[in-house]
Amino acid sequence: MTSLRFVFLFLLISFSASAQKDYKLWLQYNTVTNPTVASQYKSNLKGIVVLGNSETIRIAEKELKTGFSDMLGNIPEIKSEVKGEYNIIVGSQSNLNAEIKNELQSDFDKINNEGFIIKSISIKNKKQIVITGKNDVAVLYGVFHFLRILQTNKSVKNLNIADSPKTNIRILNHWDNLDRTVERGYAGFSLWNWQKLPDFIDQRYIDYARTNASIGINGTVLTNVNANALILTPQYLEKVEALANVFRPYGIKVYLTARFSAPIEIGSLKTADPKDPEVMNWWKNKSAEIYKRIPDFGGFLVKANSEGQPGPQNYGRNHVDGANMLADAVAPFGGVVMWRAFVYSEHDANDRAKQAYTEFQPYDGKFKENVIVQVKNGAIDFQPREPFHPLFGAMPKTPLMMEFQITQEYLGFSTHLVFLPKLFQEVLESDTYQKGKGSTVAKVVDGTLYQNKLTGIAGVANIGNDLNWTGHPFAQANWYGFGRLAWNPYLDSEVIAEEWLRSTFSNDENFIKPVKDMMIESREAVVNYMTPLGLHHIMDTGHHYGPGPWVSNLSRPEWNPTYYHKADKNGIGFDRSKSGTNAVSQYAPEVANLFDNLETCPEKDLLWFHHVSWDYKLKNGQTLWNGLALKYQEGVNQVREMQNVWNKAEKYVDSERFNEVKMLLEIQHKEAKWWRDACLLYFQQFSGKELPERVEKPTQTLEYFKSLKFPFAPGNG
Amino acid sequence: MTSLRFVFLFLLISFSASAQKDYKLWLQYNTVTNPTVASQYKSNLKGIVVLGNSETIRIAEKELKTGFSDMLGNIPEIKSEVKGEYNIIVGSQSNLNAEIKNELQSDFDKINNEGFIIKSISIKNKKQIVITGKNDVAVLYGVFHFLRILQTNKSVKNLNIADSPKTNIRILNHWDNLDRTVERGYAGFSLWNWQKLPDFIDQRYIDYARTNASIGINGTVLTNVNANALILTPQYLEKVEALANVFRPYGIKVYLTARFSAPIEIGSLKTADPKDPEVMNWWKNKSAEIYKRIPDFGGFLVKANSEGQPGPQNYGRNHVDGANMLADAVAPFGGVVMWRAFVYSEHDANDRAKQAYTEFQPYDGKFKENVIVQVKNGAIDFQPREPFHPLFGAMPKTPLMMEFQITQEYLGFSTHLVFLPKLFQEVLESDTYQKGKGSTVAKVVDGTLYQNKLTGIAGVANIGNDLNWTGHPFAQANWYGFGRLAWNPYLDSEVIAEEWLRSTFSNDENFIKPVKDMMIESREAVVNYMTPLGLHHIMDTGHHYGPGPWVSNLSRPEWNPTYYHKADKNGIGFDRSKSGTNAVSQYAPEVANLFDNLETCPEKDLLWFHHVSWDYKLKNGQTLWNGLALKYQEGVNQVREMQNVWNKAEKYVDSERFNEVKMLLEIQHKEAKWWRDACLLYFQQFSGKELPERVEKPTQTLEYFKSLKFPFAPGNG
């Protein structure tokens, strides 16, 4: 009776704490309900010994306690020293006793400074589990990994894990403005409450740090790349310092965006010329000022001479001059400069996709060693699908870091369920052939291809002050997946999806399998209903919400969708082949030839590289027009199937999150049809052909779709 | 052992659900820990019988279940009919059986349509408790009141409550813009996610409605009084409709702000002249369109010809013309027009405090019967203290509704702990003497002074998408207290504070007493450290954050603090006596004389009505200068004492909320000193006198305080 009543009460508490589930992300620590698993855990995990006394170690201990009490209903005995067996021994290498240190020597040789070891060992015939690393943050990573083992109901017997992150800088880029609006933010507004900082520490800052630490993220750029110089004034640096103090024990460094014209705007100088001694001095002093407050400050992220941002070119200098000047300023303190390669000139009539390569590739080898060039995954701008950026592999002497966009600027905001790790994986697995077969983007990014020491992956955050952090419950998976891939760019997105589902919702196999498949499928779905067959950037203007293939009146030609799809009576697509803009030539010859040849160009990239006749025969025998229309329809069908899958998941999910996802999928379905109908009606004007039979007929006119306006769409920067 | 372990687990769950406590406001439903009380509840509350089947009744039932399971650990047996004794019988009058109906006839005669009865009765010698009212929403109010009895650990024996709201319109005014910024909002951004509406119903909408229903709020104006006409377009009305559907079962009507120029902006008319037949027709059609979607739409709130908003005066018409035209449009559907009296002309050099009265009083009796004039509590603008607005009592033939500001525009944003019901009570208790002694503002507002049928109280909401809704945990008490006073303008603020503390934190007497005293004291503290002795509107420009008594360069004279304090060598204060602007003459003679005479004018209002010499002797024997300085110091001391009280409350409060309040009180203390030092240094220039001994010396210069800038202060509309 008592135990029954306990279960009953527990359910009720869970019920009223439903909003909390949304908030807790993948750290739900759900009760282990499988009795075999629970019993294995209870018999193998009987004590906890925590060695060391740093704030980080205290956090690791608290996390273990929370995990155990939530998942297993009790906390193993906390011991001050190793006594008996089946203990979890938690501490950094220097805090382990000689016997254990010895036992793990070969494991320590395998890991880097941030890597951890989780190992079952036997000492004096007593079984123990050690969670360790070379410092306390590494130990914390190990603890989170260990808890993930419990969360995913894996065995804790014979553990033998030695895992290190493959990149140095695993970082979120927040495009957060000082007024708390977030450029391309769809999950509310900025977490950073500048007005109440530095004296009010919002619990969310702590939860943010904890959550990021759980997936190994070790850096955060607090401010928008379209930067405001005020962040570098003492009034704001005091606030940044407060955040850095919160994040530090979680192993997270703070970075800021540097507005290139800051010496003028807040420093009263007349110029921001990077070769001007006063300017150089100003940045050196500013850096010293920052490091005095924040000794482990990470460095600067810079968007310069791009989309109206000031930069070295305003003074007849180039990106190398600008980046190196800043690099010199932070070098004495161990800081880095992340310099973005996202540039395209309003004065260059050439193919926008070529411009970043054209401008940056010749700089290879010219940057200081604490500069890393941040390159978007594709040459245009975070589209549902892009071929990998040609700079990857093309700058052997320059560290390049990947810039992914976690926030769904072009992929349905926080309304559409799109599992982005599938997209990220596609990019990372792409073979650049720059050092022969197998020269994948992942190898460029983790530095193994050219032995770069400085490596990194950045993700434009999808995090806001929505109660569930990311707007869409499944957008949490994109934050999670980004972190996991930043740690290990070779991880399979299916593995990530499964980990996330188990940690976030349920370990029930009947739930996992179909919902995982749904997640994996979701990325191809969004490509199909938005931009199939290599189409790109046909979103509506400014806010990028919904279709706008007809838009042709913007001041810069390369902002117009018509620039990208080039639909006409003869066909559709952007000819980037040798006979076109020859963008293909920016890739290694093997890749260039593949893309250049209409026969070998993957159909998923077809209209990216070729202007193709409406009657062109696709591999499935369909004409291009019919094939395009059927792809749009397939996207809609896929969303419908996602709805079916989710509806069957109801019994495995709390009602609040179930309903949220259900409502969002309904909107996604509606909007997938909107995309299909608007695009096909528009393109039909050029093809002059009927829709194939299996494509549903539009229920609105093209004029209707063109008339839609969204004056307050969020995130419009 | 089992029970011990249960307690342990429970504590842990509570711990990890800490953020949830912030979110749950006063509906914590904490476990009843007092064994005598718990035992009384268990023996007197054994069954629940719910009669009726509306959505509202289902909500009431669910609320009872949640309350019981959270507070008492079990839910009384749910019965389909009255069997046995000690049942709680829940249902509207028409659903009660004849016997009970009979028994309660005299109670039903006492209540109005929204009133409820909670009564212990005995039928066939069996004891029962009935919760009823004339409709289901009234029953829901009764259920919430009953749960409040449990939350505050009061007896459930011999209940005999018949309670009706004293006003018709108990409404929140959200100054929320369509881009989700909130004018004068300090708790994040707007709850209304227009982009995802109508198809995504955020759980917060439901929780918002539930919370408001729990205190009897029955209306909400979704949009800013500085209005955007787009809210009246079909694209937005569809979203408003979705919110109305969520709120309806909770008894909450939706209202919108009407931009007076909407017929031009979204209706393609050439004018918005209220006498133009096309304009009249446009508003009639627009109203019909709204009511087709939302049959119980409440009506419009209008800010016209005030601070740049368009209005009838743009067309040579007056407020009556404008209000009556809109009133005609909504009258066929039972809608009302709330027309704001907050006006002051940039072309009127006269005392701003007089202008609303001067302009509106002559309109008495000229408004249509579904117009209610919304008057701010004071004649200037939501200051820490203002004498009551002279319009109250001065328009016997016109319904006047009170406009309070719950959001702390001038009272420290969401950083300062200020318990506003104390302020509200002071206003409501003020005697206008307009129908002789006892003609209190409360009697104007509840309609009893002049037998007005339409009555109401509006509060400018302090609600945003912060996790805890209001930014400061204690700002929740201001939302709560506003609702309670809107229901009953005669409630004592101490009673409200105690109810709120018990429902929100703890029933422990050792906690209640000191913290309640702290809340009550907090209002006088903010007056003392910001604007003692009748000073007003000396906040810094635009954002109103921090002191700015020196500001004198704004384009409109009455926007400048110097306009309000008029400090000079001779003294300080605004002479509104008969020898000054004669603003006192707008009050009834008894009140006018009281204020006019320096000897009888309450010292709390001294500098509101008089320009007083620095050497003037206050009642305590101090000179004005010394007295003023000591008041500023007293404010700081009071905040320090609040900190002491709170520090002692640690053991009664969860750590998260405890720390939040602690951090905020530290900021409040810092800012109280800032106010004191900045104001005294500034005024000292005129008084030319030393600070009295008990006043702490400033640690910064006046120039420093003047140099402070807050470019991204929130809520700056």
Side-chain angles (χ1 to χ4, degrees):
Chain A
M1 180 59 202
T2 315
S3 76
L4 251 181
R5 176 151 152 216
F6 165 69
V7 169
F8 174 66
L9 251 174
F10 183 81
L11 286 174
L12 274 164
I13 291 164
S14 303
F15 167 75
S16 70
S18 188
Q20 190 71 359
K21 284 191 185 287
D22 256 339
Y23 182 83
K24 284 167 81 177
L25 296 154
W26 49 88
L27 299 172
Q28 301 286 327
Y29 297 147
N30 291 325
T31 309
V32 176
T33 50
N34 182 323
T36 321
V37 174
S39 140
Q40 193 217 53
Y41 290 171
K42 283 180 184 166
S43 55
N44 284 277
L45 309 168
K46 293 186 173 167
I48 296 176
V49 187
V50 179
L51 307 168
N53 203 17
S54 69
E55 216 181 321
T56 303
I57 283 294
R58 293 279 74 82
I59 288 166
E61 180 181 357
K62 186 177 160 193
E63 198 66 39
L64 271 178
K65 287 183 186 172
T66 307
F68 271 103
S69 67
D70 287 1
M71 286 190 272
L72 296 167
N74 61 37
I75 297 171
E77 190 186 348
I78 308 292
K79 304 175 180 174
S80 56
E81 51 179 319
V82 183
K83 272 188 192 168
E85 59 182 346
Y86 296 119
N87 294 299
I88 308 163
I89 301 163
V90 179
S92 67
Q93 186 174 20
S94 62
N95 285 312
L96 299 176
N97 68 36
E99 211 165 4
I100 300 177
K101 239 186 280 190
N102 241 5
E103 178 79 20
L104 299 177
Q105 192 48 58
S106 67
D107 301 282
F108 278 115
D109 293 345
K110 280 185 227 157
I111 60 171
N112 64 28
N113 253 339
E114 293 184 290
F116 60 82
I117 298 161
I118 303 178
K119 193 163 184 178
S120 305
I121 58 173
S122 193
I123 292 187
K124 292 175 187 150
N125 275 324
K126 287 185 173 155
K127 290 184 175 173
Q128 315 285 4
I129 293 172
V130 187
I131 304 177
T132 187
K134 291 178 181 165
N135 59 58
D136 287 345
V137 169
V139 174
L140 181 62
Y141 291 153
V143 164
F144 276 116
H145 191 87
F146 178 76
L147 287 165
R148 185 151 50 230
I149 292 172
L150 306 192
Q151 286 184 285
T152 53
N153 287 3
K154 295 211 176 103
S155 168
V156 293
K157 287 186 174 176
N158 306 314
L159 291 169
N160 189 4
I161 301 167
D163 194 13
S164 298
K166 294 188 189 298
T167 59
N168 313 133
I169 302 173
R170 306 178 297 281
I171 195 166
L172 290 176
N173 292 359
H174 288 270
W175 288 358
D176 290 17
N177 300 313
L178 299 185
D179 63 3
R180 295 188 71 185
T181 57
V182 180
E183 185 165 335
R184 311 309 175 186
Y186 313 105
F189 293 79
S190 175
L191 292 183
W192 324 130
N193 187 341
W194 297 111
Q195 199 256 329
K196 282 187 179 162
L197 280 167
D199 295 317
F200 183 77
I201 301 301
D202 192 317
Q203 178 64 30
R204 286 194 91 141
Y205 307 151
I206 300 165
D207 294 333
Y208 167 87
R210 169 186 175 234
T211 308
N212 278 317
S214 78
I215 47 174
I217 287 172
N218 68 357
T220 179
V221 184
L222 299 175
T223 45
N224 192 354
V225 288
N226 292 323
N228 189 314
L230 283 180
I231 195 69
L232 302 174
T233 60
Q235 183 178 18
Y236 277 92
L237 287 175
E238 188 186 12
K239 301 167 193 280
V240 173
E241 178 185 351
L243 288 174
N245 291 341
V246 173
F247 299 162
R248 186 171 296 111
Y250 294 89
I252 294 166
K253 282 187 185 179
V254 156
Y255 299 69
L256 293 174
T257 46
R259 185 159 165 92
F260 205 79
S261 50
I264 301 169
E265 289 159 14
I266 61 168
S268 305
L269 299 193
K270 293 212 174 104
T271 176
D273 181 348
K275 301 269 192 186
D276 182 289
E278 274 198 278
V279 171
M280 292 188 269
N281 214 38
W282 188 88
W283 282 108
K284 280 182 179 165
N285 289 337
K286 183 53 70 181
S287 300
E289 179 190 346
I290 295 172
Y291 278 93
K292 195 171 171 194
R293 290 181 180 275
I294 311 166
D296 57 352
F297 178 70
F300 295 123
L301 170 64
V302 188
K303 173 177 180 177
N305 294 121
S306 169
E307 299 182 320
Q309 291 297 303
Q313 291 172 354
N314 299 34
Y315 308 95
R317 315 295 182 183
N318 65 29
H319 287 286
V320 175
D321 299 329
N324 286 352
M325 181 275 290
L326 284 176
D328 282 343
V330 294
F333 312 100
V336 302
V337 171
M338 301 175 289
W339 194 271
R340 288 173 101 230
F342 177 65
V343 296
Y344 58 100
S345 168
E346 57 191 307
H347 309 299
D348 186 345
N350 207 330
D351 182 0
R352 170 174 162 187
K354 291 169 65 181
Q355 295 181 28
Y357 180 99
T358 305
E359 186 156 359
F360 271 80
Q361 200 285 331
Y363 296 143
D364 187 32
K366 298 191 172 157
F367 290 100
K368 301 260 171 161
E369 65 177 9
N370 60 333
V371 174
I372 186 164
V373 175
Q374 183 167 310
V375 182
K376 290 189 181 183
N377 60 278
I380 298 293
D381 194 11
F382 299 137
Q383 298 301 298
R385 169 167 280 135
E386 299 188 39
F388 70 89
H389 200 298
L391 276 173
F392 288 111
M395 296 180 74
K397 287 174 272 179
T398 307
L400 300 187
M401 73 191 285
M402 172 63 73
E403 179 174 336
F404 284 131
Q405 192 179 44
I406 315 174
T407 189
Q408 294 171 231
E409 173 179 356
Y410 296 98
L411 290 93
F413 290 13
S414 64
T415 306
H416 293 205
L417 193 166
V418 182
F419 183 59
L420 295 177
K422 183 75 181 158
L423 184 167
F424 302 158
Q425 182 181 5
E426 181 178 285
V427 175
L428 291 164
E429 286 179 352
S430 297
D431 196 337
T432 72
Y433 278 89
Q434 294 283 10
K435 260 183 86 179
K437 189 168 164 52
S439 305
T440 61
V441 172
K443 286 188 185 168
V444 177
V445 167
D446 78 357
T448 53
L449 192 66
Y450 298 119
Q451 282 75 52
N452 305 109
K453 279 187 208 142
L454 191 56
T455 60
I457 300 194
V460 180
N462 62 346
I463 302 165
N465 73 342
D466 269 6
L467 214 138
N468 74 356
W469 304 82
T470 58
H472 197 306
F474 275 78
Q476 299 178 349
N478 296 332
W479 177 8
Y480 180 87
F482 165 77
R484 298 290 285 138
L485 281 167
W487 180 279
N488 180 359
Y490 302 92
L491 273 182
D492 190 273
S493 56
E494 285 204 35
V495 172
I496 295 171
E498 181 162 338
E499 275 180 13
W500 178 80
L501 281 171
R502 288 180 187 273
S503 307
T504 306
F505 286 109
S506 164
N507 275 290
D508 196 304
E509 302 297 336
N510 296 318
F511 169 78
I512 296 295
K513 178 69 174 68
V515 179
K516 183 175 74 178
D517 290 349
M518 172 186 86
M519 291 171 74
I520 296 301
E521 181 94 350
S522 66
R523 190 292 181 104
E524 206 60 36
V526 76
V527 170
N528 286 337
Y529 65 71
M530 284 188 181
T531 52
L533 296 175
L535 284 175
H536 51 284
H537 218 307
I538 56 174
M539 292 74 186
D540 202 1
T541 298
H543 49 66
H544 300 152
Y545 174 55
W550 46 79
V551 176
S552 62
N553 60 350
L554 303 179
S555 61
R556 290 177 63 165
E558 75 282 10
W559 283 352
N560 286 310
T562 51
Y563 170 91
Y564 295 100
H565 64 68
K566 300 199 189 301
D568 58 22
K569 292 245 152 89
N570 301 318
I572 182 172
F574 198 125
D575 186 359
R576 295 189 169 106
S577 72
K578 284 176 190 156
S579 54
T581 68
N582 201 18
V584 293
S585 68
Q586 294 183 335
Y587 291 98
E590 296 88 333
V591 181
N593 290 334
L594 186 88
F595 288 149
D596 184 57
N597 185 334
L598 195 56
E599 297 305 307
T600 58
C601 182
E603 280 187 353
K604 66 185 169 64
D605 299 319
L606 190 63
L607 307 180
W608 186 283
F609 288 113
H610 298 279
H611 191 74
V612 182
S613 134
W614 294 111
D615 292 320
Y616 174 81
K617 277 276 183 316
L618 295 168
K619 296 203 171 63
N620 62 7
Q622 297 282 355
T623 64
L624 176 68
W625 167 250
N626 280 356
L628 185 74
L630 287 165
K631 277 284 177 196
Y632 272 107
Q633 180 64 47
E634 186 183 343
V636 173
N637 296 347
Q638 283 168 308
V639 176
R640 218 166 271 161
E641 182 53 25
M642 287 161 68
Q643 292 183 281
N644 288 336
V645 170
W646 188 250
N647 287 338
K648 287 181 196 150
E650 181 163 12
K651 61 172 171 258
Y652 306 104
V653 181
D654 54 291
S655 63
E656 188 169 322
R657 287 187 295 175
F658 174 78
N659 282 324
E660 284 169 0
V661 175
K662 189 179 158 75
M663 287 185 278
L664 291 166
L665 282 171
E666 274 165 27
I667 302 175
Q668 187 171 0
H669 181 233
K670 193 193 274 190
E671 296 188 352
K673 289 191 288 182
W674 169 28
W675 268 96
R676 177 197 64 196
D677 294 349
C679 291
L680 290 179
L681 282 171
Y682 171 76
F683 291 134
Q684 194 173 33
Q685 301 179 114
F686 304 101
S687 80
K689 293 170 192 296
E690 289 299 306
L691 291 173
E693 209 171 285
R694 279 180 290 146
V695 177
E696 290 157 3
K697 300 293 164 283
T699 54
Q700 300 279 359
T701 63
L702 180 59
E703 286 318 303
Y704 166 81
F705 291 120
K706 285 169 129 175
S707 76
L708 297 176
K709 294 282 171 285
F710 305 96
F712 294 104
N716 202 352
Chain B
M1 179 60 201
T2 315
S3 76
L4 252 180
R5 177 155 148 210
F6 165 70
V7 169
F8 175 63
L9 251 174
F10 183 80
L11 286 173
L12 274 164
I13 290 164
S14 303
F15 168 75
S16 69
S18 190
Q20 190 71 1
K21 283 189 186 289
D22 256 338
Y23 182 84
K24 283 167 80 177
L25 298 151
W26 49 87
L27 298 172
Q28 301 286 327
Y29 296 147
N30 290 326
T31 308
V32 175
T33 50
N34 182 321
T36 320
V37 174
S39 138
Q40 192 217 54
Y41 290 171
K42 281 179 187 168
S43 54
N44 284 277
L45 309 168
K46 292 186 173 166
I48 296 177
V49 187
V50 179
L51 307 167
N53 204 16
S54 68
E55 215 181 323
T56 303
I57 283 293
R58 292 279 75 81
I59 288 165
E61 180 180 358
K62 186 177 159 191
E63 198 66 38
L64 271 178
K65 287 183 187 172
T66 306
F68 271 102
S69 68
D70 287 2
M71 286 191 273
L72 296 167
N74 61 37
I75 298 171
E77 189 186 348
I78 307 294
K79 303 174 182 176
S80 56
E81 51 180 318
V82 183
K83 272 187 195 167
E85 60 180 348
Y86 295 120
N87 294 299
I88 308 163
I89 301 164
V90 178
S92 67
Q93 186 173 19
S94 62
N95 284 312
L96 298 176
N97 69 36
E99 211 165 5
I100 301 178
K101 239 185 282 190
N102 240 7
E103 179 80 20
L104 299 177
Q105 194 46 58
S106 65
D107 301 282
F108 277 116
D109 293 344
K110 280 185 227 157
I111 60 171
N112 64 26
N113 253 340
E114 293 183 291
F116 59 83
I117 299 161
I118 303 176
K119 191 159 185 181
S120 305
I121 59 174
S122 194
I123 293 188
K124 292 178 188 146
N125 275 323
K126 290 187 171 154
K127 290 188 174 169
Q128 315 286 5
I129 292 173
V130 186
I131 304 177
T132 187
K134 291 180 183 165
N135 60 56
D136 288 344
V137 169
V139 174
L140 181 62
Y141 290 152
V143 164
F144 275 115
H145 190 87
F146 178 76
L147 287 166
R148 185 152 52 231
I149 292 172
L150 306 192
Q151 285 184 286
T152 53
N153 288 2
K154 296 211 176 103
S155 169
V156 293
K157 287 185 176 175
N158 307 316
L159 292 169
N160 188 6
I161 301 167
D163 194 12
S164 299
K166 294 189 188 298
T167 59
N168 312 134
I169 303 174
R170 307 178 296 281
I171 195 166
L172 291 176
N173 292 358
H174 288 271
W175 289 357
D176 290 17
N177 300 312
L178 299 185
D179 64 2
R180 296 187 70 183
T181 58
V182 180
E183 185 165 335
R184 311 309 174 186
Y186 313 106
F189 293 79
S190 175
L191 292 184
W192 325 131
N193 187 340
W194 297 112
Q195 199 254 329
K196 280 187 180 163
L197 279 167
D199 295 317
F200 184 77
I201 301 300
D202 193 315
Q203 177 66 30
R204 286 194 93 141
Y205 306 150
I206 300 165
D207 294 334
Y208 167 87
R210 170 186 175 233
T211 308
N212 279 317
S214 79
I215 47 175
I217 287 172
N218 68 358
T220 179
V221 185
L222 300 174
T223 46
N224 192 353
V225 287
N226 292 323
N228 188 314
L230 283 180
I231 194 69
L232 302 174
T233 59
Q235 183 178 19
Y236 277 92
L237 288 176
E238 187 186 12
K239 300 167 193 281
V240 173
E241 179 186 350
L243 288 173
N245 290 340
V246 173
F247 298 163
R248 186 171 297 112
Y250 294 90
I252 293 166
K253 281 186 186 181
V254 157
Y255 299 68
L256 293 174
T257 46
R259 185 160 165 90
F260 205 79
S261 50
I264 300 168
E265 290 160 14
I266 60 168
S268 305
L269 299 192
K270 293 211 172 101
T271 177
D273 181 348
K275 299 270 192 186
D276 181 290
E278 274 197 277
V279 171
M280 292 189 267
N281 215 39
W282 188 88
W283 281 108
K284 281 183 179 165
N285 290 337
K286 183 52 74 181
S287 300
E289 179 191 346
I290 296 172
Y291 278 93
K292 197 173 170 195
R293 289 180 180 277
I294 310 167
D296 59 351
F297 178 70
F300 294 122
L301 170 65
V302 187
K303 173 176 179 177
N305 294 121
S306 168
E307 298 182 322
Q309 291 297 302
Q313 293 172 353
N314 299 36
Y315 307 96
R317 314 296 182 183
N318 65 28
H319 286 288
V320 175
D321 300 328
N324 286 353
M325 181 275 291
L326 284 176
D328 282 343
V330 294
F333 312 99
V336 302
V337 170
M338 301 174 290
W339 193 270
R340 289 173 99 229
F342 176 66
V343 296
Y344 58 100
S345 168
E346 57 193 307
H347 309 298
D348 185 346
N350 207 331
D351 183 0
R352 170 174 162 187
K354 291 170 66 181
Q355 295 183 26
Y357 179 99
T358 304
E359 187 157 359
F360 271 80
Q361 201 283 330
Y363 297 142
D364 187 30
K366 298 193 173 157
F367 290 101
K368 301 261 172 161
E369 64 177 11
N370 60 331
V371 173
I372 186 164
V373 175
Q374 183 167 310
V375 181
K376 290 188 181 183
N377 59 277
I380 298 293
D381 194 12
F382 300 136
Q383 297 302 296
R385 170 168 280 134
E386 299 189 39
F388 71 89
H389 200 297
L391 276 174
F392 288 111
M395 296 180 74
K397 288 175 271 178
T398 306
L400 300 187
M401 72 190 286
M402 172 64 74
E403 179 174 336
F404 284 131
Q405 191 179 46
I406 316 173
T407 190
Q408 294 170 233
E409 173 178 356
Y410 296 98
L411 290 93
F413 291 12
S414 63
T415 306
H416 293 206
L417 193 165
V418 183
F419 182 58
L420 296 177
K422 183 76 179 155
L423 184 167
F424 302 158
Q425 183 182 3
E426 181 178 283
V427 176
L428 291 164
E429 285 178 352
S430 297
D431 196 337
T432 71
Y433 280 88
Q434 293 283 11
K435 260 183 84 178
K437 189 167 163 54
S439 306
T440 60
V441 172
K443 285 188 186 168
V444 177
V445 167
D446 77 358
T448 53
L449 192 66
Y450 298 120
Q451 284 74 52
N452 304 111
K453 280 188 208 138
L454 190 57
T455 59
I457 301 194
V460 182
N462 64 346
I463 302 166
N465 73 342
D466 269 7
L467 214 138
N468 73 356
W469 303 83
T470 58
H472 197 306
F474 275 78
Q476 298 177 350
N478 295 332
W479 176 8
Y480 180 87
F482 165 77
R484 297 289 286 138
L485 282 167
W487 180 279
N488 180 0
Y490 302 92
L491 273 182
D492 190 273
S493 56
E494 286 206 37
V495 172
I496 295 170
E498 182 162 337
E499 274 180 13
W500 179 79
L501 281 171
R502 289 181 187 273
S503 307
T504 305
F505 287 110
S506 163
N507 275 290
D508 196 306
E509 302 296 338
N510 297 317
F511 170 79
I512 296 295
K513 178 71 175 66
V515 179
K516 183 175 72 177
D517 291 349
M518 171 187 86
M519 290 171 75
I520 297 300
E521 180 94 349
S522 66
R523 190 288 182 108
E524 206 59 36
V526 75
V527 170
N528 286 338
Y529 64 71
M530 284 188 181
T531 53
L533 297 174
L535 285 175
H536 50 286
H537 217 307
I538 57 174
M539 292 72 187
D540 202 0
T541 296
H543 48 65
H544 301 153
Y545 173 57
W550 45 79
V551 175
S552 62
N553 61 351
L554 302 180
S555 60
R556 292 177 61 166
E558 75 282 9
W559 283 351
N560 286 311
T562 51
Y563 171 92
Y564 295 100
H565 63 68
K566 302 201 187 301
D568 58 24
K569 293 246 151 88
N570 302 320
I572 181 171
F574 197 126
D575 187 358
R576 295 190 170 105
S577 73
K578 284 177 189 156
S579 55
T581 67
N582 200 19
V584 292
S585 68
Q586 295 184 335
Y587 291 98
E590 295 88 334
V591 181
N593 289 335
L594 187 88
F595 288 150
D596 184 58
N597 185 335
L598 195 56
E599 297 305 307
T600 58
C601 182
E603 280 188 352
K604 65 184 170 64
D605 299 318
L606 190 63
L607 306 181
W608 186 281
F609 287 113
H610 298 277
H611 191 75
V612 182
S613 133
W614 295 111
D615 293 321
Y616 174 81
K617 277 277 186 309
L618 295 168
K619 298 204 169 62
N620 61 7
Q622 298 282 353
T623 64
L624 178 68
W625 167 251
N626 280 357
L628 185 73
L630 287 164
K631 276 286 177 196
Y632 272 107
Q633 180 65 47
E634 187 183 344
V636 173
N637 296 348
Q638 284 168 305
V639 176
R640 219 167 269 160
E641 181 53 24
M642 287 161 68
Q643 293 182 283
N644 288 336
V645 170
W646 188 249
N647 287 338
K648 287 179 196 152
E650 181 164 12
K651 61 171 171 258
Y652 307 103
V653 181
D654 55 291
S655 63
E656 188 169 320
R657 288 186 296 175
F658 174 78
N659 282 324
E660 284 169 359
V661 175
K662 188 179 159 75
M663 287 186 278
L664 291 165
L665 283 171
E666 274 166 26
I667 302 175
Q668 186 171 0
H669 181 233
K670 193 192 274 190
E671 295 187 353
K673 290 190 288 182
W674 169 28
W675 267 96
R676 178 197 64 196
D677 294 349
C679 291
L680 290 178
L681 282 171
Y682 171 76
F683 291 134
Q684 195 172 32
Q685 300 178 114
F686 303 101
S687 80
K689 294 171 191 295
E690 289 300 304
L691 290 174
E693 211 170 282
R694 281 180 290 146
V695 177
E696 291 157 2
K697 299 292 165 282
T699 54
Q700 300 280 357
T701 64
L702 180 59
E703 287 318 303
Y704 166 81
F705 292 120
K706 284 168 128 174
S707 76
L708 297 177
K709 294 283 171 286
F710 304 96
F712 294 103
N716 202 351

